[in-house]
Amino acid sequence: QTIVRDVLSGILMLIEDQYGVGDDINVLEIQGKVEKVGLRITTVRADDGTLWYLRNGEILKVGNKSQSG
């Protein structure tokens, strides 16, 4: 059930172009640069160097500093 939710969230996130590799984002109290975007997992390198693996189904809010308005 969680895998299906993660994959569906990943598909919608990619279709909506919410963020991509190289974007600076704020997500789940983490600030950093997106290193990889998958259907189930997004990988973010935090400003302190920590590599975070985030399940797409758990990402409810994201701020993208790289997208212009």
Side-chain angles (χ1 to χ4, degrees), residues 31-61:
Q31 295 181 343
K33 190 172 290 272
V34 177
E35 289 200 352
K36 184 177 178 185
V37 178
L39 288 180
R40 193 167 93 65
I41 300 287
T42 294
T43 308
V44 177
R45 177 75 62 181
D47 294 338
D48 69 0
T50 305
L51 186 62
W52 291 92
Y53 297 89
L54 309 171
R55 290 187 4 225
N56 292 330
E58 296 294 317
I59 299 173
L60 302 177
K61 180 171 69 172

Side-chain angles (χ1 to χ4, degrees), residues 24-36:
D24 287 315
I25 64 170
N26 294 337
V27 60
L28 299 174
E29 303 167 3
I30 299 165
Q31 295 181 343
K33 190 172 290 272
V34 177
E35 289 200 352
K36 184 177 178 185

Side-chain angles (χ1 to χ4, degrees), residues 5-21 23 25 27 34 36-43 54-57 59-62 64 67:
R5 184 178 64 207
D6 293 343
V7 170
L8 287 175
S9 295
I11 290 169
L12 291 173
M13 183 270 310
L14 289 170
I15 289 171
E16 295 171 354
D17 192 31
Q18 294 174 7
Y19 56 83
V21 174
D23 284 355
I25 64 170
V27 60
V34 177
K36 184 177 178 185
V37 178
L39 288 180
R40 193 167 93 65
I41 300 287
T42 294
T43 308
L54 309 171
R55 290 187 4 225
N56 292 330
I59 299 173
L60 302 177
K61 180 171 69 172
V62 64
N64 190 335
Q67 287 184 346

